[in-house]
Amino acid sequence: MDFTIIKHAVEVDHGIKRLSMHFIKKHAAPERARLSSELCIQISEEFERLGLSTLPRTLPTSENEFVWIIQRDSVLGEVADAAAALAHLDKLGMSPLPQVFDNYPRAKSNLS
């Protein structure tokens, strides 16, 4: 998997870039016919290794979907990580702000 171009594109665009899963798959495994959930997990792990995260956190298997790639050490990356931690606590029933996602249902589904 060579994500050099993706990492550079994120850095150039101030720590965030919206890309199609088709584009990501082309750089991850051009020989593959389709995206599988296993390949998406491998892509996420490689992004993590490069200091990148995604929204939604679980990558879709449809090449027609778009995702946000975020530089983890940017301000936005830290905010996304904090929100993801809050979403995880909410999922466990341990949220310090129990109704916070009532107003932001799409945020919760993209963070978990």
Side-chain angles (χ1 to χ4, degrees):
M1 286 184 202
D2 183 14
F3 291 136
T4 307
I5 192 166
I6 292 174
K7 184 172 178 15
H8 180 68
V10 171
E11 290 169 356
V12 168
D13 281 354
H14 308 287
I16 189 165
K17 187 78 176 172
R18 186 174 184 253
L19 298 172
S20 71
M21 287 304 295
H22 174 75
F23 183 83
I24 294 169
K25 182 187 88 55
K26 187 170 80 172
H27 291 281
E31 71 286 352
R32 299 275 299 256
R34 63 177 194 87
L35 276 168
S36 65
S37 38
E38 293 82 17
L39 179 58
C40 288
I41 290 169
Q42 292 172 0
I43 292 169
S44 293
E45 289 170 353
E46 183 65 13
F47 280 154
E48 181 79 23
R49 191 185 71 72
L50 294 171
L52 303 171
S53 60
T54 63
L55 284 179
R57 293 291 188 180
T58 303
L59 293 174
T61 56
S62 169
E63 291 188 38
N64 298 324
E65 297 285 329
F66 282 79
V67 297
W68 292 98
I69 312 296
I70 304 168
Q71 190 174 352
R72 296 194 76 181
D73 65 356
S74 68
V75 173
L76 184 58
E78 289 182 9
V79 169
D81 285 347
L86 186 60
H88 182 70
L89 287 172
D90 189 71
K91 187 176 182 178
L92 296 173
M94 300 170 49
S95 176
L97 304 167
Q99 284 84 26
V100 73
F101 289 110
D102 290 349
N103 293 327
Y104 309 103
R106 290 184 305 168
K108 184 177 179 180
S109 67
N110 282 290
L111 291 167
S112 49

